[in-house]
Amino acid sequence: MTSQRVVIALGGNAMTGPDGSATPQAQRDAIRVAAGHIADVVAAGAEVVLTHGNGPQVGNLLVKNEMAAHVVPPVPLDWNVAQTQATIAFTVADELDAALRTRGLSQRTAGLITRTLVDLDDPGFVEPSKPVGRYLPREEAERFVALGQNWEDRGERGWRRVVASPEPRSVVDSPAIHALAAAGFVVVCAGGGGIPVTDDGRDGEALRGVEAVIDKDLTAAILARELDADTLVIATDVPNVMVDFGTPSQRPLGRVTVAELREHAAAGQFARGSMGPKVEAALRFVEGGGSASGGRRAVITSLEHIADAVSGDDAGTVLTNS
Amino acid sequence: MTSQRVVIALGGNAMTGPDGSATPQAQRDAIRVAAGHIADVVAAGAEVVLTHGNGPQVGNLLVKNEMAAHVVPPVPLDWNVAQTQATIAFTVADELDAALRTRGLSQRTAGLITRTLVDLDDPGFVEPSKPVGRYLPREEAERFVALGQNWEDRGERGWRRVVASPEPRSVVDSPAIHALAAAGFVVVCAGGGGIPVTDDGRDGEALRGVEAVIDKDLTAAILARELDADTLVIATDVPNVMVDFGTPSQRPLGRVTVAELREHAAAGQFARGSMGPKVEAALRFVEGGGSASGGRRAVITSLEHIADAVSGDDAGTVLTNS
């Protein structure tokens, strides 16, 4: 293969235990496995930029915020996103550096704190709808409602906090990501979709973090465009995107065009909270654009297949323009 | 001035409120002020790499760990260090980018998650002695002693956790820091002295975080050497290092040589927990080395004077080889 730039988006399952456990040891163990697969992509000759989810990790931090709120001031959600970027990035760096060294590769890993710009007038801020963190009984949830948070009655399990999930507009730090990738580093960045920041447009005013979470796959699509990547790989827990899921005509998608995949999406084939955003991210990356070295390609597949997916067109669901 | 590479180490006071408060807003307000001074150094033509302390911030995270320990698994201290790197770096990036833009400068800020290598057989691990976090009554402290932590009876105020503070050996991520600085970024890195990691030396084994905190000024000295910096600036809350402090012959040090400063240090002029490590860091950086563009220089001064200190020799305590 010729050298290509690949953005890989790792799902949360690549960073937690088989039971979803997000203890430090469970995260480290899962990341060690993921690091091997990523190193294989580097070994195949690709320049790799890595991004990742952070759902369970942010959930843990929210609990700590809540339980210590009467002793230390809670930090806003954007700070929690930043915190998960750091713990995941350095753990990935430790394990991926070892995996690269074992394969005789000279590349090393760099973890960049990454901000993603969102619009202050994004509809997500008017109607926060993304559930985060744990369920609490109503009386406990009300303490946090009093602090200005949005919590919703989710029925039997209790109340749960809901936050805005605005559209990512651009990755503020993509020039730094580009500089590191160009210098030969595997860059871990934009974790959890990036730290959401807004720009109020006034002269001299700083960007500001805002309480929200951003879909990490949608950010990955923007990042891949900004970095002029050739391939966006969305690593998930299934080898292929399925259509007619759960029916007798259920089948995995292999090679697929933008037009075909748009049609499946319009027909409601993909669940909003799971495969939907991944398909949308793949479409946004590939649609209407070629990278400097040719047509863009997006692959949705499981971690075990990412190296094959980058090297050829025979693994996973492979999306191209035509 | 000719272009020079400057490593600036910010003390905790540059990132907390006047009363030591470390709420998100107090940190943001203090960082805005610091960002102006740092931007002035960039405006003077220097290539700036920025590192910083994290004491109050880590203290807050330890409290959260403790208070939520029965619901979510506590994370090790190295994870807390990483978390503070992220929140401080992105806040600095927001404010410093605005300060750079206001001054018409094209540089932007990049925050790098940074690991610092320490020796597993460092004496610090045998006799942990660095107090961190809050005071607790004995019966509460004993819960954490049972988890394997070291807590000490500190008299009237109660018990306090003590951790290892090993010597920094090298900054694992300095090649990435160099790449970003060379590409024109102001790099925020090695916060809190860096995430302490150890290398057990076995083939294929990953580096591993270890529960410790590293003196941020000693790490800054190593970083400045590894980056071949011309000047190390240690920003603190006084304009000069003092000798004979609190006596009739008390006087500020201006220009001073390594031999003179070593003599003052040997005479016990500098307090172990405060000015001592700063003086030691300055000495370690300057001693026995010239940068590619000439002799090395270290400056210890207050934030207000850092731009003057970088441009000339008339502000702060300025250490040179001779």
Side-chain angles (χ1 to χ4, degrees), chain B residues 1-2 4 6 37 39-46 231 233 255 297 299 301 305-315 318:
Chain B
M1 64 181 286
T2 56
Q4 55 169 321
V6 177
H37 295 296
D40 288 340
V41 176
V42 178
T231 304
V233 177
R255 296 195 204 186
R297 211 164 59 103
V299 184
T301 192
H305 295 107
I306 62 173
D308 289 342
V310 167
S311 302
D313 273 349
D314 300 326
V318 181

Side-chain angles (χ1 to χ4, degrees), chain A residues 102-156:
Chain A
T102 300
R103 286 161 181 78
L105 298 166
S106 62
Q107 290 94 331
R108 291 296 175 266
T109 313
L112 195 80
I113 297 301
T114 312
R115 297 162 292 169
T116 298
L117 193 67
V118 300
D119 291 338
L120 258 178
D121 57 3
D122 190 288
F125 289 110
V126 184
E127 294 268 8
S129 60
K130 171 83 180 171
V132 291
R134 63 182 173 154
Y135 293 84
L136 284 181
R138 183 170 63 95
E139 50 279 21
E140 285 187 54
E142 279 172 350
R143 279 180 44 218
F144 299 102
V145 173
L147 294 175
Q149 297 182 1
N150 291 287
W151 287 68
E152 272 184 5
D153 185 352
R154 314 282 287 189
E156 269 183 30

